[in-house]
Structures are given as C-alpha cells and as structure tokens.
Amino acid sequence: MHIGIVAEQSGVPTKTIRYYESIGLIRQAQRTGAGYRVYGEHDVQTLRFIQRARGLGFSVHDVSGLLGLWHDAHRTSAQVKDMAKRHRAEIDRKIAELHGMRATLDHLIAQCHGDERPECPILDDLAGETRVSGAADG
Amino acid sequence: MHIGIVAEQSGVPTKTIRYYESIGLIRQAQRTGAGYRVYGEHDVQTLRFIQRARGLGFSVHDVSGLLGLWHDAHRTSAQVKDMAKRHRAEIDRKIAELHGMRATLDHLIAQCHGDERPECPILDDLAGETRVSGAADG
DNA sequence: CATAAGGTTTCCAGTCACTGGAAGGCAAGG
DNA sequence: CCTTGCCTTCCAGTGACTGGAAACCTTATG
C-alpha cells in the first residue's frame, strides 16, 4: 500500500503520516525502489489506534506511551488506566477553566444592551472600571 | 516607567510585552537614550485590558479588535456584544468537545480493572476490537 | 515516444501565543 | 573598578500539524 491508500483507510492525512514518522511516533516505512513509502495492514491499524487516541484528546506524547503499552505483553491494565485517569483529570481542568470563562462572558453579555450606543459594560469590565464580574479575575 | 515595572503592575511578563509590541498589538514604546522602553500609566491600563481579555479566552487577534472598539468613540455596544457572543459560542463548542471525550474516557476507565493483568478494554477500544464506546468516534 | 494527469518525494515556512536562553549594553551602589 | 540586576536584540523551541513549491514516479492515452 502507498501512503495515499493508508491515509484513506486510516483517516490520517498523508501529511500527518509523514509527520508522525518524522517525530518517531510510527516507525520508518519501507520504500520502493523509487522511494515511495510502503505500508501494510498493521500500519493502518496503528494509525487508526493513534487517530482514536488523538480523538480522545491524548497528546502525541501520551499516544506514544499508549502505543508502547499496546505492544508490551508485560504491561498491566493499571498502567493504562492510570494514564486514562490522569488525562481525564486534565480534561476536567480544561472544562472547569472554560466554564469559568463562559460564566463571566455570560454575565457580561447579559449586561450589555447590544444597541447602537457606545456604552458597553463588557469593555468597561475589561478596562477595569465598574467591575461587573469576578469569575475570570485570578 | 521601565518595562519591568509595567510587567509587575500589569501582570504581563516583559517577554510578552515585547512580543505584543513586535506583533503590533500595542504601539511601539518610546525609548530612553540608551534604548530602554519607557511606559506610562496608560500603557499599564492597556496591558491590563489585554490580560483580562486573554483570560476570558479571546485570541490575540480578537483582543486587537476589542482594543480597537475600546478606543473607537463611534463604536456600538452591539459590535462588542457580537464579538462576545461569537466567542462564547466557540467556548461552548470546545466544552462540548471536551465533554464528549470525557464521557468516552469515563466509560473506558470504568471498564478497566486496573490491576496487574495485561487485559485492558481501554487499549482494546483504541485498537478497534470489541468496541466499548461510541462518544468520540466521529 | 511524447504528453498529461495524478500520486509521491523532500524541504521550508507558517500557524498560535508565547517562552527560554545567549550575548551584550546600561545603571546604581560600594 | 567591580558586581548585581535590569535592559536590549536575536534565535530557537513549544504542539501538532498544514500549506506550498519543485521535482520525481507511475500510469494511461495518442
């Protein structure tokens, strides 16, 4: 299989496949005489694995770790679960951060008339006058 | 005021102030004979404005727009409110994305024993065998 | 055999918003 | 004069790609 086919079957763009190879996330592909990369079914599986893990928000670094565990017969499920739990905690942190922003924005938007006049509590708040909110101050 | 004092008073690191100047977010500072940047109270206010807007998750590009509106006597509050609402929608999109990931992760974590054995539904799911979840497939 | 279309190669640059570090100049104090 | 600390510029790196250019390969057609 050439890279285009693998891209199609795995859902990972050719550019990204080459990028993954360049950073060592996937092994260097074999080449044809002309220098074309050649892949097998196994590579498609690996790229799908990567694609799903990335879809769950795991960093490329963490995906590398997950691939390692996937291929490690001596892994423990505790190791994998631990990674997943740590990642979930990080997602929770991000969600909380976004919720904080959202709450403040919501409040500011409610205060603003949104008409043709220039008076705007949103800008006033950002400028530090007549503080209207507090959720994203710290 | 020199840059270090402004950094302290605004909460924006010196490196970042120089960076903001380099990309044109803030105007070029005046200089002393020796080349040191010199700032006034106004600059501190501007940097605080920027800091708060960034804290609400606005991109630097959007902050630039907000600064423009802030200094525009002919602005309308509708323009500002519109920007805020668009940004809120983007935040909502991100929150939804993270919630999706979280739900899938939660499900996978619950399935995994997390003991010393290698069997792991998390890896199985990522590998595409015995699909356990569906929340982050698309 | 020439040509054209489309897939592939490498390399460089850009994204976003900084951040770290090096090498050197400047200011204030002892 | 020397030290300490702040300031300057410039370069490089972060994360995870993505776009584009120039050139090469493969296949199909006339």
Side-chain angles (χ1 to χ4, degrees):
Chain A
M1 273 190 287
H2 287 177
I3 197 168
I5 307 296
V6 174
E8 197 179 331
Q9 294 201 5
S10 66
V12 181
T14 58
K15 279 271 187 191
T16 305
I17 295 174
R18 291 194 201 96
Y19 168 71
Y20 284 163
E21 182 183 300
S22 79
I23 62 171
L25 181 62
I26 57 177
R27 57 167 192 188
Q28 304 240 339
Q30 290 186 319
R31 306 289 186 122
T32 65
Y36 281 28
R37 287 173 179 81
V38 180
Y39 299 92
E41 268 309 317
H42 175 72
D43 300 295
V44 175
Q45 295 307 315
T46 299
L47 284 166
R48 283 197 183 138
F49 182 102
I50 292 169
Q51 190 78 334
R52 291 202 189 93
R54 294 284 302 125
L56 286 178
F58 284 101
S59 69
V60 164
H61 180 86
D62 282 357
V63 172
S64 184
L66 288 170
L67 281 174
L69 290 174
W70 189 34
H71 295 131
D72 179 6
H74 300 303
R75 71 170 179 249
T76 67
S77 65
Q79 289 175 287
V80 183
K81 189 169 185 173
D82 212 54
M83 283 194 66
K85 283 165 85 172
R86 253 194 290 259
H87 179 52
R88 181 176 59 179
E90 181 60 19
I91 285 179
D92 284 346
R93 201 193 55 68
K94 285 181 188 164
I95 288 175
E97 190 182 352
L98 289 172
H99 272 159
M101 292 177 183
R102 213 217 111 99
T104 302
L105 268 173
D106 228 31
H107 193 61
L108 291 174
I109 287 167
Q111 303 284 318
C112 180
H113 288 293
D115 55 22
E116 78 287 348
R117 290 171 297 171
E119 287 75 28
C120 179
I122 298 174
L123 291 178
D124 290 347
D125 187 85
L126 290 173
E129 314 154 16
T130 66
R131 297 315 301 281
V132 162
S133 67
D137 282 5
Chain B
M1 273 190 288
H2 286 177
I3 196 168
I5 307 296
V6 174
E8 199 179 330
Q9 294 200 6
S10 67
V12 181
T14 59
K15 278 275 190 190
T16 306
I17 296 174
R18 291 193 201 96
Y19 168 70
Y20 284 164
E21 182 184 300
S22 80
I23 62 170
L25 181 61
I26 57 178
R27 56 166 195 188
Q28 302 240 341
Q30 290 185 320
R31 304 292 186 119
T32 66
Y36 283 27
R37 287 174 180 80
V38 181
Y39 300 93
E41 270 307 320
H42 175 73
D43 300 296
V44 176
Q45 294 309 315
T46 299
L47 284 165
R48 282 198 183 135
F49 181 102
I50 292 169
Q51 192 77 335
R52 291 202 190 93
R54 293 284 302 126
L56 286 179
F58 284 100
S59 70
V60 164
H61 180 84
D62 282 356
V63 172
S64 186
L66 289 170
L67 281 174
L69 290 174
W70 189 33
H71 294 130
D72 179 7
H74 300 303
R75 73 171 177 248
T76 67
S77 66
Q79 289 176 287
V80 183
K81 190 168 184 170
D82 212 55
M83 281 194 66
K85 283 165 85 173
R86 253 194 291 255
H87 180 50
R88 182 177 59 182
E90 181 60 19
I91 285 180
D92 283 346
R93 201 194 53 71
K94 285 181 187 165
I95 289 175
E97 189 182 355
L98 288 172
H99 272 159
M101 292 177 184
R102 212 217 113 97
T104 303
L105 269 173
D106 228 31
H107 193 61
L108 291 175
I109 289 168
Q111 304 284 318
C112 179
H113 288 292
D115 55 19
E116 76 288 346
R117 289 171 297 169
E119 288 75 27
C120 180
I122 299 174
L123 291 178
D124 289 347
D125 186 85
L126 289 173
E129 314 154 15
T130 67
R131 298 314 299 278
V132 161
S133 66
D137 281 5

